[in-house]
């Protein structure tokens, strides 16, 4: 059995690496501590809006989140989310607003995780993925699912409470499986979704259904989307994917059949590729690889043996 943990540690999956941020969840209900942290001169704050934040390209070629002291941040009493502390005790907050603020120097630009995830440091990428996930959830779950009353924000953005019936609601995370399937010839199965551009191929993926194990989900999704049966399933790594609220669980899976029958709904086309066939398709432009931010790219690279173009 392959030790995938060792392989992924050499090139961590984007949005999954160690960020150096302690989420310090024990402080979320301590209003006195949160107030003091917000007022501390070392605290750093950034604005999140519509899944985006301001980033800045530095003269030495880095891309950073634009963060300010709390006293320079836009005013809000409710949509203020505590994201954690670093090893030096610096606290980080995100403020949710309807739009991003402008910058006097005009050097900053708005960007989301898809655009900036590969460019940001592990710390900044970790902060942004946390903030985007909270913002998505807060924006879409404002009312109590039990009684319909408008809920209020608590626990520094990590809970919504209903003042009418007392129910507490927590951020939603939907588990999804994403898998690279190989056959007895060590060929990889890649598919193209209906709405993707011509030539864009990637791994198969799908959501875990109620009452289903993740291994069962891998086998079911591959069978449904491509008509291929799967036997052995090995876990590789996971990746938060807040578009809007998924946790991608990555696997390598071994096919027990090779005949492809796509469902024609989610998957428009699926093909088996040897390494030489995929390399040639990359070189001619016949196949476009998945974006580097996604766990799909890393799963393919683990089989392919080198970074994708």
């Amino acid at each position: 059995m392959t030790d995938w943990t060792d392989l992924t540690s050499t090139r961590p999956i984007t949005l999954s690496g160690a960020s150096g941020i302690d989420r310090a969840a024990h402080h979320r209900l301590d209003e006195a501590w949160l107030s003091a942290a917000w007022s501390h001169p070392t605290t750093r704050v950034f604005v999140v809006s519509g899944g985006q934040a301001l980033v800045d390209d530095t003269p030495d070629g880095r891309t950073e989140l634009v963060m300010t002291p709390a006293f320079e941040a836009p005013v809000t009493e409710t949509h203020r989310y505590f994201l954690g502390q670093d090893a030096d005790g610096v606290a980080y907050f995100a403020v949710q607003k309807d739009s991003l603020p402008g910058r006097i120097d005009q050097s900053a630009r708005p960007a989301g995780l898809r655009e900036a995830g590969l460019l940001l440091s592990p710390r900044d990428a970790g902060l942004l993925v946390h903030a985007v996930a909270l913002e998505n959830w807060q924006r879409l779950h404002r009312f109590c699912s039990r009684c319909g009353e408008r809920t209020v924000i608590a626990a520094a953005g990590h809970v919504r409470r209903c003042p009418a019936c007392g129910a507490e609601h927590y951020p939603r995370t939907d588990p999804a499986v994403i898998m690279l399937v190989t056959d007895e010839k060590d060929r990889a199965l890649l598919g193209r979704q209906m709405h993707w551009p011509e030539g864009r191929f990637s791994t198969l993926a799908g959501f875990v259904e109620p009452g289903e194990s993740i291994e069962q989900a891998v086998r079911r999704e591959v069978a449904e989307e491509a008509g291929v049966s799967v036997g052995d399933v090995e876990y590789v790594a996971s990746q938060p994917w807040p578009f809007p609220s998924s946790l991608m669980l990555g696997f390598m899976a071994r096919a027990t059949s090779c005949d492809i029958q796509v469902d024609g709904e989610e998957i428009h086309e699926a093909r088996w590729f040897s390494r030489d066939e995929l390399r040639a398709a990359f070189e001619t432009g016949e196949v476009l690889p998945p974006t580097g931010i996604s766990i799909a790219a890393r799963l393919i690279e683990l089989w392919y043996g080198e970074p994708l173009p």
Side-chain angles (χ1 to χ4, degrees), residues 256-269:
T256 58
S257 67
C258 294
D259 292 338
I260 296 173
Q261 293 183 330
V262 297
D263 61 6
E265 296 180 2
E266 290 188 58
I267 301 299
H268 178 68
E269 179 183 4

Side-chain angles (χ1 to χ4, degrees), residues 131-285:
V132 167
L134 287 178
E135 185 215 10
N136 282 330
W137 173 67
Q138 293 283 0
R139 182 162 37 85
L140 298 176
H141 296 82
R142 294 175 295 170
F143 298 92
C144 180
S145 59
R146 180 183 294 175
C147 71
E149 184 72 25
R150 180 180 286 273
T151 54
V152 295
I153 296 174
H158 295 76
V159 175
R160 292 192 73 100
R161 291 197 179 109
C162 179
C165 69
E168 289 191 345
H169 304 277
Y170 296 85
R172 174 174 174 170
T173 298
D174 300 317
V177 292
I178 183 166
M179 46 275 175
L180 182 68
V181 181
T182 58
D183 67 0
E184 61 182 7
K185 299 178 182 178
D186 203 24
R187 298 180 299 175
L189 178 64
L190 302 179
R192 185 167 71 84
Q193 291 190 16
M194 300 291 289
H195 63 277
W196 285 356
E198 190 70 28
R200 176 75 69 195
F201 280 81
S202 188
T203 54
L204 304 182
F207 286 104
V208 180
E209 293 187 346
E212 183 177 51
S213 73
I214 53 179
E215 293 84 0
Q216 290 172 329
V218 169
R219 298 185 180 102
R220 174 184 53 76
E221 285 289 346
V222 175
E224 289 178 356
E225 294 184 349
V228 172
S229 298
V230 164
D232 291 340
V233 174
E234 290 186 57
Y235 173 75
V236 177
S238 64
Q239 180 184 40
W241 198 249
F243 304 110
S245 57
S246 298
L247 176 65
M248 305 298 291
L249 305 168
F251 296 88
M252 293 292 190
R254 196 63 150 178
T256 58
S257 67
C258 294
D259 292 338
I260 296 173
Q261 293 183 330
V262 297
D263 61 6
E265 296 180 2
E266 290 188 58
I267 301 299
H268 178 68
E269 179 183 4
R271 294 165 55 184
W272 291 105
F273 291 91
S274 69
R275 290 174 181 81
D276 289 341
E277 290 169 341
L278 189 59
R279 183 175 293 107
F282 286 151
E283 291 174 353
T284 63

